[in-house]
């Protein structure tokens, strides 16, 4: 069995073990310090999930949440990369935008729900705004740090060959900062899901978060866990998509897996290189 297959088996077993522990604790109504007697069992959640799959409301909620998250995340990606690059590359942009960004950045995006309600004419636009704000700051900060960490030698080489400002931006700055930018995007998509679900619970009309909160208000606990499972799966799918896209865009980076090089090519190259010539030893007191 290959290492990839063993890793997949371990992942499946860990999920099965977690579900088995959940079923065991809820079936026997374990009440030690944590209380599981009111938790639905895995079979009850699976039954409720199967019932939801056959309804149009479930798929409408799914579509609405995905539309909001993808729209807000796309806007945050464009704005975060643009602003982060500008702040890192321009002293004027840093002086004008830096103080405002640093004051607004500690404010949780979900705290902007009243601002979104007052600012935008519809709840839909307000939820997209909150989602965009949540993902914007991780992308902006990671882009800013990645651009500032670039070595100036690359830029000087482009200038030596007659390249201009836009050539440096497209050939040096963005490709060099791409690994850091992708890290910010990966963090941003997770934060976006947290905030879009919270915004749907507060001011939404449709969506997975809205439906989960409605199930809680009517004491439909299996439905609550169906919503939680749906959120988890959607978050995992979108974050995996961002990670896969990042790997494809950064194929030139060396990969490591399990603390070892992903490919032994580097070690084979060492064997091919000619051995260094031995350094002659000079006896003490003897000059060549």
């Amino acid at each position: 069995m290959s290492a990839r297959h063993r890793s997949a088996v371990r992942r499946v077993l860990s999920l099965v073990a977690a579900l088995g522990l959940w079923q065991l604790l809820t079936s026997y109504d374990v009440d030690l310090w944590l209380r599981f007697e009111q938790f639905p069992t895995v079979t009850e959640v699976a039954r409720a999930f199967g019932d939801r799959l056959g309804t149009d409301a479930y798929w409408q909620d799914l579509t609405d949440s995905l539309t909001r998250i993808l729209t807000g995340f796309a806007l945050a990606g464009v704005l975060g990369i643009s602003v982060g690059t500008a702040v890192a590359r321009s002293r004027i942009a840093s002086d004008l935008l830096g103080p405002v960004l640093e004051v607004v950045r500690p404010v949780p995006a979900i705290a902007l729900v009243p601002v979104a309600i007052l600012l935008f004419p519809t709840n839909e636009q307000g939820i997209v705004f909150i989602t965009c704000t949540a993902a914007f700051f991780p992308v902006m900060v990671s882009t800013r740090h990645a651009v500032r960490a670039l070595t100036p030698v690359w830029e000087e080489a482009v200038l030596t060959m007659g390249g201009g400002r836009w050539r440096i931006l497209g050939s040096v700055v963005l490709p060099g900062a791409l690994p850091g930018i992708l890290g910010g995007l990966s963090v941003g998509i997770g934060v976006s899901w947290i905030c879009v679900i919270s915004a749907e619970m507060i001011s939404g009309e449709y969506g997975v978060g809205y439906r989960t909160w409605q199930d809680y208000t009517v004491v439909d606990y299996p439905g609550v866990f169906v919503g939680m499972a749906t959120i988890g799966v959607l978050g995992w799918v979108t974050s995996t998509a961002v990670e896969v896209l990042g790997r494809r865009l950064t194929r030139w980076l060396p990969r490591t897996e399990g603390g070892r090089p992903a490919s032994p090519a580097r070690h084979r190259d060492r064997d091919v290189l000619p051995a260094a010539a031995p350094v002659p030893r000079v006896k003490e007191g003897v000059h060549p």
Side-chain angles (χ1 to χ4, degrees), residues 52-73:
R52 291 287 178 90
L53 289 177
T55 62
D56 296 333
Y58 178 82
W59 296 106
Q60 181 179 357
D61 293 335
L62 200 70
T63 302
D64 290 341
S65 294
L66 280 174
T67 302
R68 292 163 178 168
I69 195 77
L70 294 179
T71 304
F73 181 69

Side-chain angles (χ1 to χ4, degrees), residues 52-239:
R52 291 287 178 90
L53 289 177
T55 62
D56 296 333
Y58 178 82
W59 296 106
Q60 181 179 357
D61 293 335
L62 200 70
T63 302
D64 290 341
S65 294
L66 280 174
T67 302
R68 292 163 178 168
I69 195 77
L70 294 179
T71 304
F73 181 69
L75 292 173
V78 174
L79 294 175
I81 295 173
S82 302
V83 174
T85 303
V87 171
R89 298 280 299 174
S90 172
R91 174 66 64 180
I92 297 176
S94 179
D95 293 339
L96 294 177
L97 299 177
V100 178
L101 294 173
E102 291 305 316
V103 170
V104 178
R105 184 161 67 97
V107 179
I110 196 61
L112 298 176
V113 170
V115 177
I117 294 175
L118 296 174
L119 190 62
F120 293 94
T122 64
N123 289 339
E124 190 72 21
Q125 296 173 355
I127 293 175
V128 172
F129 165 75
I130 293 170
T131 306
C132 176
T133 305
F136 168 78
F137 286 103
V139 177
M140 186 274 295
V141 171
S142 62
T143 301
R144 183 183 63 188
H145 288 306
V147 172
R148 287 178 176 174
L150 294 176
T151 175
V153 176
W154 300 344
E155 182 174 344
E156 293 171 358
V158 176
L159 291 173
T160 303
M161 293 184 291
R165 179 179 302 179
W166 292 106
R167 184 62 180 271
I168 293 174
L169 183 65
S171 301
V172 175
V173 176
L174 293 180
L178 188 58
I181 294 173
L182 291 170
L185 291 173
S186 181
V187 175
I189 190 67
V191 178
S192 295
W193 272 112
I194 296 173
C195 291
V196 74
I197 295 301
S198 302
E200 288 176 349
M201 288 182 176
I202 296 174
S203 62
E205 297 179 357
Y206 298 99
V208 180
Y210 169 81
R211 193 67 57 187
T212 302
W213 182 254
Q214 291 299 311
D215 291 333
Y216 173 75
T217 57
V218 298
V219 200
D220 183 7
Y221 293 130
V224 172
F225 279 87
V226 169
M228 294 170 59
T230 303
I231 295 166
V233 172
L234 291 176
W236 173 71
V237 169
T238 52
S239 61

Side-chain angles (χ1 to χ4, degrees), residues 1-14 257-258:
M1 183 181 295
S2 64
R4 179 176 297 180
H5 290 161
R6 288 196 299 269
S7 177
V9 170
R10 286 194 296 266
R11 291 171 183 268
V12 172
L13 289 178
S14 66
E257 184 177 356

